[in-house]
Amino acid sequence: MTARINIRGLNFKNEQEAMEEFARIGSTPPGSKIMASKALPLALKVSGIGHVAANILKQEALARGGDVVTSRDSLLAKEGATQVIIIGTENMMKNLAQKIRLQLFGLKELARELDRYLKGLNQETYFTVNHKRYNLDTDYLIMGILNATPDSFYDGGYYYHPEDAEKRVNQMIDEGADIIDIGGMSTRPGSDPVSIDQEIERTVPLIKNIRATSDILISIDTYRKEVAEQAAAAGADIVNDISALSFDRQMAGFLGDSGLSVVMMHMKGTPKDMQKNPVYEDVVSEVYAYLDAAAGRAVAAGIERDKIVVDPGIGFGKTAGHNLAILKKLAEFRYLGYPVLLGASRKSFMGKTLDLEVEQRMLPSLAVAAHAYLNGARIFRVHDVEQTRMALDMVKNIEAVS
């Protein structure tokens, strides 16, 4: 009896999944390795390329089995910049970069950027904190939020008094937090900054008390070098800077000299005005480019690459629609080459999307965390430590099945 022909679409998330499926039909490992790159074509969006270069690039890509999506204007325009999308396998991209390396019209610079991008494509993602090295391709970290403030959007005032804060820290450690993120100044929409002395007074004694009894990683949520300096002296390991080192120009140099790790977040505007009609032409592209440039400046300031984390800044200068668009395309941010942190816990975009008060947003927060894990986020800044860890452990176990 003739077997019934059956077709099943395959959804490969990475090369390893492709190779496992090839092995099931008897493909040899060397052959599977070659074919896996063909099963996972790339689509790379390039901005700032000239129209002449775009047309040359298209012809060179076509000659190598790839293609370039261009605008109709590029066929006629000779001046100005445009955007293109290069489509092809990883090998095609490498050959393309090799070919255009000696060409004019900005193609030499594009070749360098392609080489940099392709080099990082298959590298493992590590995060180093205080001599501890984490492979974030295979694991994730939970950052528990501790706002020692009277006015944060969810837990403002709950842990303002030192004894309440210390109890909360111990609870989060028991629930499985890997990092405690301590903030002494609310950055909720519309908030005003407090003085440096007040920020230090709220955070540094708490950091000292935690460090006296625990070796858990401690993050200081600040954009001020003076606060970060005092926090580091008290035992902090990480600086979580919502301005990506842009508000205090001395911060980058301090981090480069001190060896602390850093989280660099995207924000449009300041906490005071960030939610007053934020506008983007392409929110994902703009946030991506901002973080890429910010991380580059951090490396130039002497901060080691494996001590840098990027955060797309959910809720910071973005509408609910902007936040959802970033989450939908979150997988793209891991190609920056740095660990991706997600800080979406209980934020207002969930309330606006589902008509929920802040107290009702734990379940959607867990859904967002699970989605983010599947799309490459590996550090999660959350209020609900135990519940998030259970959700992510379940997702991780599903993903581990071969």
Side-chain angles (χ1 to χ4, degrees):
M1 182 177 178
T2 304
R4 179 179 179 274
I5 293 175
N6 175 266
I7 297 176
R8 169 188 157 208
L10 298 175
N11 178 29
F12 299 135
K13 295 188 181 70
N14 50 54
E15 187 175 289
Q16 182 60 36
E17 285 191 6
M19 291 182 66
E20 288 171 358
E21 197 64 42
F22 296 161
R24 289 190 178 97
I25 66 165
S27 175
T28 62
S32 294
K33 181 70 174 175
I34 294 170
M35 297 306 293
S37 66
K38 296 181 179 181
L40 294 164
L42 300 173
L44 306 183
K45 187 175 183 179
V46 180
S47 302
I49 187 172
H51 293 284
V52 173
N55 289 317
I56 296 173
L57 191 66
K58 184 174 181 70
Q59 297 308 312
E60 296 291 0
L62 285 168
R64 286 157 183 78
D67 209 338
V68 174
V69 182
T70 62
S71 70
R72 185 168 52 185
D73 293 341
S74 290
L75 297 174
L76 301 174
K78 299 298 182 184
E79 297 181 354
T82 186
Q83 294 180 318
V84 301
I85 298 174
I86 309 174
I87 300 172
T89 66
E90 185 178 341
N91 285 338
M92 190 285 294
M93 300 283 185
K94 290 178 180 177
N95 291 335
L96 180 64
Q98 180 69 29
K99 175 63 179 179
I100 66 174
R101 187 163 288 122
L102 299 178
Q103 298 204 29
L104 302 176
F105 308 109
L107 290 170
K108 185 187 299 185
E109 291 76 14
L110 175 58
R112 284 200 298 267
E113 287 302 302
L114 272 174
D115 285 338
R116 181 175 72 90
Y117 180 89
L118 294 169
K119 182 180 179 182
L121 196 59
N122 298 312
Q123 287 183 340
E124 292 183 316
T125 304
Y126 289 98
F127 181 41
T128 301
V129 190
N130 193 17
H131 307 298
K132 298 178 182 178
R133 198 171 192 227
Y134 300 90
N135 183 340
L136 296 185
D137 284 333
T138 59
D139 210 349
Y140 66 87
L141 300 173
I142 297 286
M143 177 185 279
I145 299 168
L146 195 288
N147 289 315
T149 60
D151 54 348
S152 292
F153 84 93
Y154 173 56
D155 55 1
Y158 291 3
Y159 313 115
Y160 186 52
H161 299 291
E163 58 272 20
D164 296 325
E166 289 177 35
K167 286 179 183 177
R168 178 58 179 156
V169 168
N170 291 330
Q171 180 186 6
M172 289 193 289
I173 291 173
D174 290 342
E175 290 177 347
D178 302 290
I179 307 166
I180 302 297
D181 187 49
I182 298 173
M185 177 169 60
S186 175
T187 52
R188 76 188 194 288
S191 60
D192 290 308
V194 300
S195 70
I196 291 176
D197 288 343
Q198 193 169 21
E199 192 179 356
I200 290 172
E201 183 182 334
R202 291 175 177 178
T203 57
V204 170
L206 182 55
I207 293 170
K208 287 180 179 177
N209 289 341
I210 296 170
R211 185 53 71 229
T213 58
S214 174
D215 63 354
I216 193 166
L217 299 178
I218 300 174
S219 169
I220 176 68
D221 183 357
T222 188
Y223 53 75
R224 292 162 163 168
K225 179 251 186 183
E226 290 179 62
V227 178
E229 201 168 33
Q230 293 289 323
D237 309 287
I238 304 166
V239 172
N240 183 9
D241 188 337
I242 62 170
S243 79
L245 314 184
S246 67
F247 284 0
D248 188 333
R249 296 297 180 179
Q250 297 182 69
M251 181 71 92
F254 164 69
L255 292 171
D257 292 339
S258 69
L260 266 67
S261 303
V262 62
V263 177
M264 305 185 66
M265 194 193 80
H266 173 273
M267 175 172 56
K268 194 179 185 77
T270 68
K272 181 69 175 178
D273 61 18
M274 64 186 179
Q275 291 306 107
K276 293 180 179 178
N277 191 34
V279 175
Y280 300 84
E281 288 186 15
D282 180 342
V283 65
V284 176
S285 292
E286 290 175 47
V287 172
Y288 186 101
Y290 175 95
L291 291 173
D292 191 27
R297 289 192 297 271
V299 172
I303 303 172
E304 296 173 49
R305 286 186 61 91
D306 64 348
K307 293 184 176 181
I308 297 171
V309 172
V310 294
D311 175 357
I314 297 296
F316 283 80
K318 300 166 185 77
T319 65
H322 293 146
N323 293 318
L324 294 173
I326 290 169
L327 288 168
K328 183 176 182 180
K329 297 292 186 179
L330 193 64
E332 297 179 7
F333 286 90
R334 61 195 174 98
Y335 294 124
L336 286 165
Y338 304 94
V340 177
L341 181 148
L342 185 80
S345 179
R346 293 184 181 259
K347 287 192 172 175
S348 63
F349 79 96
M350 299 179 197
K352 292 174 182 175
T353 303
L354 302 177
D355 191 24
L356 298 174
E357 297 299 324
V358 66
E359 293 81 8
Q360 301 172 296
R361 298 175 195 162
M362 184 180 72
L363 292 178
S365 295
L366 299 180
V368 168
H371 168 85
Y373 180 90
L374 291 171
N375 285 277
R378 286 297 179 266
I379 305 176
F380 299 84
R381 184 177 182 273
V382 301
H383 298 91
D384 306 293
V385 172
E386 183 178 28
Q387 295 87 344
T388 304
R389 183 166 289 284
M390 284 192 290
L392 295 182
D393 279 349
M394 195 68 240
V395 175
K396 184 179 176 182
N397 276 279
I398 293 169
E399 287 293 285
V401 175
S402 61

